[in-house]
Amino acid sequence: MNLVKDPWLPMRLQDGSVDVLPISHICRQDVVDFALPRADFQGAAYQFAIGLLQTALAPDDQSQWVKYFNAPPSQSSLEESLQKVEHAFQGEGKGEGSGPLFMQDHDELAEQKPTTVAGLLIEAPGENGIKNNTDHFIKRGIGKQMSLEMALLALFTLQMNAPAGGAGHRVGLRGGGPLTTLVLPSTEGVTLWQKLWLNIINRETWVYEEPNVTDGSVFPWLAPTRTSDKKGSEIYADSVHPLHMFWAMPRRIRLEVLEEEGCCGISGQSTLKQVREYRTQNYGHNYSGQWLHPFTPYKGDPKKPEAEWLSAKGQPGGIHYKTWDVLSFSSKITAQKCATVVSHFSTVARHHRKALKAVRPCLWAFGYDMDNMKARCWYSTTMPLFQFDPEQQDALLVEVKLLQKLSTDALWHLRTQLKAAWFNSPADAKGDMSFIDLEFWQRTEGIFFRAIAHLMEAVAAGQEVLPSAAAKEWLMALQMIVLDLFDEYALSELISERSMEKRIKARRALRGWIYGGKDIKSFRKSYQIEQETETEKEVI
């Protein structure tokens, strides 16, 4: 099977049906999305397709980018463009003369003991988890047999997100469990082609030499593995082609493909080619130094501009607006870089407003939250993406961070007073309160982005600060949500008179801060918001 010319990816059509098609069919007007059975596979399919287009069909400049966005190439034309990399996407083969296999080691690893194919799934329990019977929430036995198509997608997903895997089992180029951010249109009826093309970077912006697609500098599996069992074997960004980042391969793996009919444990579909085991060996490609992957945001140290930038990772509690600015903005002052695909789209959109005004872009952020080798959770969310001129960016960041800081402070006071209401010794109280955080961020997300929308309207009118009325609206909504959450978690149950007294005291302390705390007073002063009257407080 060849991943460029053969049908292998399930795609959703405009009428709601799903068909398994070759990748070249992404340019069809009736194809609206991929239709993978797992969320991480869905994200992987997008990254695979974008990487393929960037490698084989990158536009020369913004004008050509807009041309392809509005009118994709014909299917035959796209097939012709993809033919130059077709040799790198063979999915199966065995013995001499079979050639290199997609995302698999150049060596057959015949001396290595086979392991179950479920190990390709990042959340699958390891040998110790199964041996010690600690796989309570993440069950053993998932995906114990896969179709070749799903096994290859699982392999690609692992290579992109590879976490720490024990001695010599290398992490991915972006670090273990990186966050991916892509641009998507929020309008209905958009084709899959347009969803993908929004994340293609033109050659004028991302300058690189014409790639050699046969020597391993782009597709590492085309050359013998640069093993990393000795010092000096690190792979740095300047030693390979920039497109290598889309196809990085830290793990040494070979799939064992069986010509046998069965049912895929991932898709539930019947298959004529099964994968039950794979072989692996440690000390594969060891990516080191500074890499800036086009799909991922990065954070630096403002005090040490020469230090390496660190890729954004999934964190406990999910992806919320508290980090929205890092995902959307780049700034030298705060040492943050949004993903290159995001900054590229923003640049094109500013110069071609008329051609792209109907897009209504949003930001799709997704990734694993990893604890070393253990997957704690998979997160995926969409957030608004606003357009602005670069010279306005630093002023906008100041406003955004003011709102984020007040939200963070409000959450801290909410948690503190809930502990005071629940426990006799709040300072000694242990336990997971992340459910409070999650509820808070979810309930306040709408009012935050409404405030940002008001800010963007002000910017368009020549101002660079949030209007006073909009700031007051946001503050009052935040106050109401904080008190509502406290009441729901601390006052909604039948309790003793003594306990009620303690909880009312905690509520008064919380109310005292959200109406008269130092941070609140400073916010009111900054936006010239008058102190609420007692009547307004009672309404809130």
Side-chain angles (χ1 to χ4, degrees), residues 17 71 81 83 94-95 112 124 142 161 203 220 239 250 258 272 313 337 361 373 395 420 492 517:
S17 63
S81 296
Q83 279 178 2
K94 197 170 185 179
Q112 302 304 309
I142 55 171
N161 299 282
R203 293 284 297 274
S239 64
L258 301 175
L272 297 177
K313 305 289 198 308
K337 291 182 181 180
M373 289 182 281
S492 60

Side-chain angles (χ1 to χ4, degrees), residues 177-190:
L179 205 60
T180 296
T181 53
L182 300 177
V183 182
L184 289 182
S186 58
T187 47
E188 293 184 6
V190 179

Side-chain angles (χ1 to χ4, degrees), residues 121-347:
L121 302 175
I122 291 177
E123 84 280 13
E127 290 184 12
N128 284 337
I130 294 174
K131 181 181 178 181
N132 298 328
N133 200 33
T134 58
D135 55 327
H136 181 66
F137 293 105
I138 301 175
K139 296 299 183 183
R140 67 187 71 181
I142 55 171
K144 61 183 179 181
Q145 63 183 39
M146 303 183 195
S147 64
L148 176 58
E149 294 86 349
M150 291 300 105
L152 287 169
L153 200 49
L155 175 61
F156 181 62
T157 304
L158 175 63
Q159 298 283 26
M160 285 190 302
N161 299 282
H169 291 279
R170 303 302 183 188
V171 299
L173 178 144
R174 295 179 272 176
L179 205 60
T180 296
T181 53
L182 300 177
V183 182
L184 289 182
S186 58
T187 47
E188 293 184 6
V190 179
T191 63
L192 175 58
W193 172 267
Q194 290 181 315
K195 293 174 182 176
L196 297 170
W197 197 256
L198 288 178
N199 299 281
I200 301 300
I201 307 167
N202 74 70
R203 293 284 297 274
E204 204 172 52
T205 299
W206 193 21
V207 182
Y208 52 78
E209 296 179 357
E210 194 64 29
N212 184 328
V213 295
T214 61
D215 66 355
S217 60
V218 174
F219 304 114
W221 55 90
L222 296 184
T225 300
R226 293 172 61 176
T227 55
S228 56
D229 52 339
K230 298 177 182 178
K231 289 185 178 180
S233 57
E234 295 84 359
I235 300 176
Y236 297 96
D238 60 0
S239 64
V240 294
H241 194 278
L243 290 171
H244 184 107
M245 288 188 283
F246 292 106
W247 312 108
M249 192 180 77
R251 299 291 181 88
R252 304 188 65 186
I253 289 172
R254 290 284 293 214
L255 302 180
E256 297 285 315
V257 184
L258 301 175
E259 300 277 348
E260 186 178 303
E261 188 174 354
C263 181
C264 175
I266 299 295
S267 67
Q269 302 296 315
S270 60
T271 178
L272 297 177
K273 293 182 179 180
Q274 293 191 58
V275 180
R276 292 178 183 164
E277 295 178 323
Y278 68 95
R279 298 176 186 273
T280 185
Q281 186 168 340
N282 53 2
Y283 298 108
H285 295 114
N286 184 17
Y287 297 103
S288 187
Q290 184 64 79
W291 296 84
L292 295 176
H293 195 286
F295 293 155
T296 294
Y298 288 80
K299 279 286 288 180
D301 185 344
K303 297 179 181 179
K304 298 178 181 178
E306 72 286 350
E308 285 187 12
W309 294 70
L310 301 177
S311 61
K313 305 289 198 308
Q315 299 293 329
I319 306 166
H320 307 297
Y321 70 84
K322 63 180 177 180
T323 58
W324 171 76
D325 63 300
V326 177
L327 309 183
S328 307
F329 294 79
S330 294
S331 172
K332 291 182 180 179
I333 296 175
T334 54
Q336 62 189 60
K337 291 182 181 180
C338 64
T340 310
V341 294
V342 176
S343 60
H344 173 265
F345 169 78
S346 297
T347 300

Side-chain angles (χ1 to χ4, degrees), residues 63-126:
S63 296
Q64 192 176 41
W65 187 97
V66 173
K67 176 185 174 183
Y68 274 127
F69 177 77
N70 291 321
S74 65
Q75 190 175 313
S76 59
S77 177
L78 181 56
E79 287 172 354
E80 185 178 346
S81 296
L82 296 179
Q83 279 178 2
K84 63 184 178 184
V85 298
E86 187 180 294
H87 62 280
F89 290 85
Q90 195 62 32
E92 60 178 319
K94 197 170 185 179
E96 275 190 57
S98 65
L101 303 180
F102 174 73
M103 281 287 169
Q104 298 177 59
D105 200 79
H106 203 267
D107 190 289
E108 289 193 13
L109 307 181
E111 296 180 1
Q112 302 304 309
K113 182 182 176 182
T115 185
T116 174
V117 72
L120 295 178
L121 302 175
I122 291 177
E123 84 280 13

